[in-house]
């Protein structure tokens, strides 16, 4: 069962890097502003509040489709994390009352 659920879980886990977070923030702000302005202008021109709301909803759904899934473009610059050092490898570790604990 883990063989089946493993790839599905990895797909929904949402691994994006810091650069990808910046891209999603800029995209979400830009798409929402553009769709809000378009909804306002089109609603004002046609004098139709329902049209304004539908265009705003479509812009919000488009933003969610672009930003929420962990697209591969959002993980192109992953961070290189340090490998954890073990306490017994000669490093300082944790010393409590002169006794090395870890």
């Amino acid at each position: 069962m883990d063989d089946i659920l493993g790839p599905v879980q990895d797909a929904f886990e949402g691994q994006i890097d810091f650069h990808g977070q910046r891209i999603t923030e800029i995209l979400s702000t830009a798409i929402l502003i553009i769709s809000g302005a378009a909804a306002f202008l089109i609603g004002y021109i046609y004098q139709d509040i329902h049209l304004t709301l539908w265009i705003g909803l479509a812009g919000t759904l488009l933003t969610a489709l672009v930003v929420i899934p962990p697209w591969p473009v959002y993980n192109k610059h992953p961070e290189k994390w340090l490998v954890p050092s073990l306490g017994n490898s000669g490093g300082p570790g944790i010393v409590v009352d002169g006794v090395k604990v870890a």
Side-chain angles (χ1 to χ4, degrees), residues 9-48:
Q9 183 180 6
D10 290 341
F12 286 108
E13 193 170 284
Q15 297 275 335
I16 66 172
D17 56 17
F18 295 121
H19 185 67
Q21 288 177 358
R22 186 173 347 138
I23 291 172
T24 57
E25 182 179 350
I26 292 169
L27 278 174
S28 64
T29 303
I31 294 171
L32 286 174
I33 288 174
I34 291 169
S35 66
F40 176 76
L41 288 175
I42 292 171
Y44 183 76
I45 291 170
Y46 288 103
Q47 294 292 309
D48 188 3

